Amino acid sequence: GLYYTDSKPGDARPEIVLLHGWSGSHRAFDLNVPDLTTRCRVIAPDLRFHGGSDKPAWGFHVARLAADLHELLEHLNLAAPTLVGCSLGAAVIWSYVEMYGCDNIGKLVFVDQAPSQWRMDDWALCSKGIYDAPSLAKIQKALRDGLAAFADGNAECCLTKRVPAQMLATLKSETERCDAHQLGKLMADHACKDWRPILPRIEVPVLNLY
């Protein structure tokens, strides 16, 4: 099953769904949720293979994570929620839009994710960390060499602002809950996706943070 937190079950206030990035969990939003819950009903799931959610031996595709999101929104009967996707979470939303459209979405927020992180002949705005086959192989090797050391380097690579030491410890411990092999397989699917053709299909208000 999919683990999630729900700040105000059944509350009629604006609904916001927070989707964390690769190797993270809902705990990545610990510094955001307290303020958001004063104004919104906040739902924060752990994506498949992450946190407290199931970690099956199949489904290493962004599309599977998007299907999980669709099932969660239907289960909670959310009325036009705002979806916030950070990193991999943004790709999950693009995949959701590809398969299900925007009819059941209110607004979208994309944080720290290019529509393609792969470097291509017509696309130079790629990821700074994983953007081609050699860089993908490098990250997969780092995962195999040990999640603890990987978690330290991953936080250093992804964070541009200082965060409290306790938050860094939380991010590391949540990454260590993942399986290195599963993370490598999921990144192999995520990294090379090109979501640019999906962007014109988005028909709701969007905020991009980059």
Side-chain angles (χ1 to χ4, degrees):
L2 204 68
Y3 177 86
Y4 65 92
T5 62
D6 188 345
S7 67
K8 301 283 184 180
D11 198 318
R13 291 189 296 177
E15 300 156 333
I16 182 168
V17 180
L18 305 177
L19 303 172
H20 64 80
W22 177 77
S23 79
S25 77
H26 73 282
R27 296 295 307 277
F29 300 106
D30 279 2
L31 301 180
N32 311 106
V33 168
D35 183 57
L36 289 172
T37 52
T38 65
R39 294 164 288 167
C40 305
R41 175 186 175 187
V42 181
I43 297 98
D46 287 343
L47 301 177
R48 180 182 294 239
F49 312 117
H50 297 77
S53 291
D54 283 353
K55 300 172 177 62
W58 57 277
F60 303 101
H61 309 283
V62 177
R64 179 61 258 182
L65 306 187
D68 291 342
L69 173 61
H70 181 254
E71 292 172 9
L72 178 65
L73 298 185
E74 287 201 329
H75 171 70
L76 295 175
N77 194 30
L78 300 184
T82 294
L83 306 183
V84 180
C86 296
S87 193
L88 171 63
V92 171
I93 295 173
W94 290 322
S95 183
Y96 179 98
V97 172
E98 180 180 51
M99 294 189 291
Y100 306 108
C102 293
D103 289 347
N104 297 322
I105 298 172
K107 300 174 183 178
L108 297 175
V109 181
F110 299 113
V111 184
D112 195 29
Q113 179 66 41
S116 173
Q117 67 178 59
W118 216 240
R119 178 184 292 157
M120 294 173 286
D121 290 342
D122 65 339
W123 182 253
L125 303 176
C126 55
S127 165
K128 64 181 180 181
I130 306 171
Y131 49 83
D132 59 12
S135 58
L136 173 61
K138 182 179 179 181
I139 205 75
Q140 289 173 321
K141 180 182 184 302
L143 287 164
R144 293 193 300 270
D145 289 345
L147 268 178
F150 166 78
D152 288 332
N154 191 48
E156 183 179 343
C157 176
C158 294
L159 295 173
T160 54
K161 284 190 173 183
R162 289 184 179 274
V163 299
Q166 184 177 355
M167 188 65 199
L168 279 176
T170 296
L171 295 175
K172 179 175 181 176
S173 65
E174 291 300 294
T175 294
E176 290 181 295
R177 297 180 69 185
C178 299
D179 177 272
H181 176 70
Q182 292 184 337
L183 285 180
K185 290 180 70 69
L186 182 59
M187 178 54 74
D189 180 77
H190 164 52
C192 61
K193 288 285 190 290
D194 183 0
W195 299 107
R196 290 177 294 169
I198 300 302
L199 302 184
R201 293 198 61 197
I202 297 176
E203 301 171 341
V204 297
V206 169
L207 173 65
N208 287 306
L209 302 174
Y210 64 93

